[in-house]
Amino acid sequence: MSTINIKRVKTSEIELKDRLVSIQRVAKVTKGGRTFSFSAIVVVGDENGVVGYGLGKAKEVTEAIAKGIDDAKKNLVKVPIINGTVPHEQIGKFSGGFVFIKPAANGTGVIAGGAMRAVLESAGVHNVLAKSKGSSNPHNVVKATVSALAQLRDAHTVAQHRGVNLGKVFNG
């Protein structure tokens, strides 16, 4: 699929829950010594098909998290969820991070690593099999997971895009 259909969402009409994925203390070496600041990557979602991520940097941990939440609310995408799982297998890529997301049967749960799990649970996916390949850097994994979720399409969208009825999508 060459084009990614990212569906932007307005934050005003939905209740979002935030999840801290990772926080790092970073140091800048200056003439007077080391200056420490904090970088936080945060995922927000309504657990009903809307998810976004953001990065916040500040001198204090709480300020970094608050900035990350504000940034995440500006980058929300709509994800199709069918029966608590994703509609089809999908590969997501960002920089060195590769993720593979696969639908799972009811009762399976979220089988995914730390950063990927936060994104999938915030999106409202309850049953999914996922594998992270390549970079384990939380920034790359989160961005690759959101990329994979943004590329997902449900059967109605595919039928509309192809200009055929829904039965033809499944039966050829």
Side-chain angles (χ1 to χ4, degrees):
M1 188 173 118
S2 60
T3 60
I4 299 172
N5 52 347
I6 296 175
K7 297 162 269 307
R8 296 279 179 200
V9 180
K10 291 194 173 90
T11 59
S12 57
E13 65 256 10
I14 50 177
E15 182 73 28
L16 296 170
K17 295 178 185 169
D18 56 271
R19 218 176 268 245
L20 181 64
V21 175
S22 144
I23 190 154
Q24 282 109 15
R25 186 181 78 167
V26 292
K28 181 171 90 171
V29 180
T30 60
K31 186 171 66 174
R34 293 186 189 95
T35 306
F36 294 108
S37 64
F38 295 90
S39 141
I41 186 157
V42 182
V43 174
V44 299
D46 69 344
E47 297 180 356
N48 196 18
V50 176
V51 69
Y53 67 91
L55 177 66
K57 296 178 184 175
K59 299 276 184 199
E60 301 283 328
V61 175
T62 52
E63 287 177 33
I65 293 170
K67 285 182 179 180
I69 292 168
D70 291 341
D71 188 32
K73 288 179 180 177
K74 295 174 188 170
N75 299 316
L76 295 175
V77 291
K78 183 87 176 99
V79 179
I81 296 172
I82 299 163
N83 298 329
T85 189
V86 292
H88 56 84
E89 293 181 0
Q90 187 63 52
I91 294 173
K93 178 180 181 251
F94 184 86
S95 187
F98 296 89
V99 298
F100 175 69
I101 299 171
K102 183 177 176 179
N106 204 7
T108 305
V110 178
I111 311 293
M116 223 184 340
R117 175 180 291 271
V119 176
L120 293 168
E121 287 177 350
S122 293
V125 180
H126 299 296
N127 302 299
V128 68
L129 300 169
K131 180 67 183 165
S132 174
K133 301 173 184 172
S135 172
S136 61
N137 180 346
H139 295 269
N140 290 339
V141 173
V142 166
K143 291 173 184 175
T145 307
V146 172
S147 166
L149 292 175
Q151 292 175 43
L152 291 173
R153 300 187 300 170
D154 60 345
H156 296 290
T157 309
V158 173
Q160 191 176 25
H161 185 70
R162 294 181 187 170
V164 296
N165 64 0
L166 198 57
K168 187 136 174 107
V169 172
F170 292 111
N171 300 328

